Amino acid sequence: MKLVSAAASPFVRKVHVVLHETGQTGDVEIVPVKTSPLSTSAEVRAANPIGKIPALIRSDGPALYDSRVICQYLNERADAHLYPDSRKWEVMTLEATADGIMDAAVLISYENRLRPSDLIFKDWTDAQWAKVTSAVSAVNDRWMSHLNGPLDIGQIAMGCALGYLDFRHDARGWRKGNDALDDWFAAFSRRDSMIATAPSD
């Protein structure tokens, strides 16, 4: 299998962490690409008609894309129990919350990096950041018992989301008022899988 990826993407990182946590890193060749919404690479377009990463190219079937699809596939392939039946809906809701944080944070990054400086829409980026802060606060207030439980995809996704906030938006200070989540992330970041997949440009 081949994973079309970019080291800065939190969605790609989520897949990489799953590969590490499920012992499948040796089964996947990493195909690094330079891509953006304004300049989609040919490798990405060939694997995913929407032009987004990550995409998993398989020899025995069509390419898979969207990190949630890929992570579920890898989980089943390894029988890893990252989506346990007893708490499946909670796990998937937490994953969706983390993915929403990633979506909003990536959109802010694109606005600041791709749009001409005199056209940056500050009210729009502030609105995206409000989504981030609302979600982070909700996780801090309501989800800590889950985050402190057995490893699942919700924890992996949240770790990657918070890691991206540090990577691209550290100055905005997501930690303020979220001490429990800050403590959890400090510990989760020390996992071998998180250290091995730290984002880079």
Side-chain angles (χ1 to χ4, degrees), residues 150-166:
L151 182 69
D152 60 40
I153 194 63
Q155 296 172 4
I156 291 171
M158 190 56 60
C160 293
L162 298 177
Y164 186 77
L165 297 184
D166 281 353

Side-chain angles (χ1 to χ4, degrees), residues 1-5 15-16 19 28-31 54-56 70:
M1 296 185 292
K2 297 181 179 181
L3 183 67
V4 182
S5 62
V15 174
H16 279 294
L19 287 171
V28 178
E29 176 187 347
I30 305 304
V31 180
L56 184 68
I70 297 170

Side-chain angles (χ1 to χ4, degrees), residues 103-122:
D103 276 328
V106 167
L107 288 174
I108 295 170
S109 296
Y110 282 150
E111 181 76 8
N112 290 327
R113 294 172 63 203
L114 301 180
R115 191 180 292 275
S117 59
D118 60 325
L119 296 178
I120 291 174
F121 190 1
K122 184 178 182 300

Side-chain angles (χ1 to χ4, degrees), residues 134-155:
S134 176
V136 167
S137 178
V139 172
N140 184 80
D141 294 344
R142 305 173 201 166
W143 287 91
M144 294 314 303
S145 61
H146 183 108
L147 287 175
N148 288 316
L151 182 69
D152 60 40
I153 194 63
Q155 296 172 4

